[in-house]
């Protein structure tokens, strides 16, 4: 069966520091991968999606970037964190014909 | 543009009563409508979904209805229990190259024992 991992689970970072969040998927090949952000008490904002290795599309301009160095690995990065980057970051995967998106356990990021 | 609206934003019901959450979507090309439940501090979990060629789907105490003409769909939870308390998100999917899904803003459901 498919499994999705995210780490770290929680992170506290100072403003201006770099960021790297990792997501890996097991049990499937060539998944579509997604990064979402959820501010406290708010909905799900799609940040990036990827349909294959090295293929990244951004939904909203922001202080973040994403990379997909391997088929089942998706990385979210920032060179300098802002206070507004705080939130719950969720990675998700889907397989095109199966339609459903499944979420990872998330990383709770606090920028101080 | 693509948009999913969801109402109400908060809902409080007595244990045993029914809860109904309604969503509308903007793009008639939408063909798949999942519902997710998110408990506090946890990831969203798929609880039920419906495809555009189906009008209603039921799974125990949960049912979803779809009206494609009116572009709205609803989640019905019967005999609510305290463990149903959570935030519920509706979503609509467009069949593009990457399974684009637009989420509603969420409904915070509280079931009072």
């Amino acid at each position: 069966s498919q499994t999705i991992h995210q780490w770290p689970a929680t992170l506290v970072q100072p403003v201006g520091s770099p960021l790297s969040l990792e997501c890996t998927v097991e049990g499937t090949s060539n998944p579509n991968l997604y990064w979402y952000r959820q501010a406290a008490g708010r909905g799900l904002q799609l940040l990036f999606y990827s349909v294959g290795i090295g293929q990244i599309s951004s939904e909203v301009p922001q202080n973040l970037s994403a990379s997909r160095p391997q088929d089942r690995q998706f990385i979210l990065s920032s060179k300098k964190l802002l206070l507004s980057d705080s939130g719950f970051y969720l990675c998700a995967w889907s397989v095109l014909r199966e339609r459903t998106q499944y979420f990872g356990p998330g990383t709770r990021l606090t920028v101080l | 543009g693509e948009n999913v609206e969801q109402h109400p934003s908060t809902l409080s019901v007595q244990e045993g009563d029914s809860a109904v959450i309604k969503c509308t979507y903007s793009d008639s090309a939408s063909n798949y409508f999942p519902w997710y439940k998110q408990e506090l501090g946890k990831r969203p979990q798929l609880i039920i979904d419906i495809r555009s060629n189906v009008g209603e789907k039921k799974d125990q105490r949960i049912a979803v209805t779809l009206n494609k003409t009116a572009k709205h769909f609803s989640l019905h939870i019967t005999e609510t229990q305290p463990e149903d308390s959570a935030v519920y998100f509706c979503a609509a999917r467009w069949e593009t190259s990457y399974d684009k899904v637009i989420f509603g803003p969420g409904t915070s459901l509280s079931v009072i024992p």
Side-chain angles (χ1 to χ4, degrees):
Chain A
S1 64
Q2 299 87 357
T3 308
I4 180 168
H5 303 279
Q6 281 187 250
W7 63 91
T10 60
L11 191 59
V12 180
Q13 292 285 96
V15 169
S17 64
L19 174 74
S20 181
L21 304 181
E22 189 164 343
C23 168
T24 59
V25 180
E26 297 177 356
T28 187
S29 296
N30 196 31
N32 292 340
L33 296 173
Y34 312 83
W35 278 112
Y36 289 87
R37 177 170 60 200
Q38 187 175 33
R42 304 296 295 276
L44 298 158
Q45 180 188 31
L46 178 63
L47 302 175
F48 300 95
Y49 64 91
S50 172
V51 299
I53 296 174
Q55 300 178 62
I56 309 294
S57 296
S58 173
E59 278 290 300
V60 293
Q62 60 218 319
N63 186 40
L64 302 168
S65 62
S67 63
R68 184 169 178 177
Q70 299 180 45
D71 181 44
R72 288 170 285 183
Q73 184 184 30
F74 205 21
I75 297 172
L76 184 69
S77 304
S78 174
K79 292 182 179 178
K80 288 186 177 182
L81 285 168
L82 306 172
L83 286 173
S84 56
D85 291 324
S86 293
F88 192 37
Y89 287 81
L90 291 155
C91 181
W93 69 273
S94 72
V95 178
L96 187 61
R97 278 184 289 278
E98 293 182 8
R99 305 183 184 217
T100 304
Q101 287 189 14
Y102 298 95
F103 288 90
T107 294
R108 192 163 303 280
L109 171 67
T110 303
V111 182
L112 301 175
Chain B
E2 302 139 346
N3 187 46
V4 176
E5 296 183 356
Q6 184 172 348
H7 301 279
S9 57
T10 60
L11 180 59
S12 186
V13 300
Q14 290 290 135
E15 181 178 358
D17 287 350
S18 295
V20 180
I21 302 171
K22 298 182 179 182
C23 291
T24 59
Y25 59 98
S26 59
D27 194 328
S28 56
S30 300
N31 57 15
Y32 172 67
F33 307 89
W35 286 87
Y36 290 83
K37 175 184 179 183
Q38 186 178 30
E39 297 176 348
L40 192 62
K42 302 286 183 64
R43 76 184 88 182
Q45 299 265 27
L46 180 73
I47 55 172
I48 196 168
D49 56 17
I50 191 166
R51 285 159 171 70
S52 59
N53 59 346
V54 175
E56 184 174 358
K57 183 177 178 181
K58 190 172 181 180
D59 182 4
Q60 299 183 336
R61 297 186 296 108
I62 295 174
V64 58
T65 59
L66 171 65
N67 184 327
K68 281 220 73 178
T69 303
K71 292 192 283 186
H72 64 70
F73 55 114
S74 302
L75 178 72
H76 304 253
I77 306 174
T78 58
E79 300 172 23
T80 54
Q81 301 168 3
E83 52 265 38
D84 294 330
S85 296
V87 177
Y88 291 81
F89 293 98
C90 62
R93 174 190 178 273
W94 285 259
E95 193 154 331
T96 65
S97 62
Y98 71 95
D99 284 337
K100 183 170 186 174
V101 174
I102 302 295
F103 287 87
T107 295
S108 178
L109 172 64
S110 297
V111 180
I112 304 165

